[in-house]
Amino acid sequence: SRPMAAARPRAEQDPMAKSPEDLAALLSRAGGVEISAAAIRADVKAGAPRRKGGVVNLLEYAAWLLRESARGD
């Protein structure tokens, strides 16, 4: 029989859920433009979706950014 896997934090269970620091690093690498964790935290404070434990889902965050850019603030 296989040993039971230890419970992992939510961010590890959902590959799209990242800490602001990890998300900033991922987006910076992918986009070639430096994005800071502070900028992502500011977006969360401004209404970007955040999940339990403080993680941000990449797809939900991208959708929020698109909605915000369409509003033309």
Side-chain angles (χ1 to χ4, degrees), residues 22-33 35 40 58 61 65:
D22 289 344
L23 184 57
L26 174 70
L27 294 173
S28 294
R29 284 191 308 271
V33 175
I35 298 172
I40 293 173
L58 173 61
Y61 182 64
L65 287 172

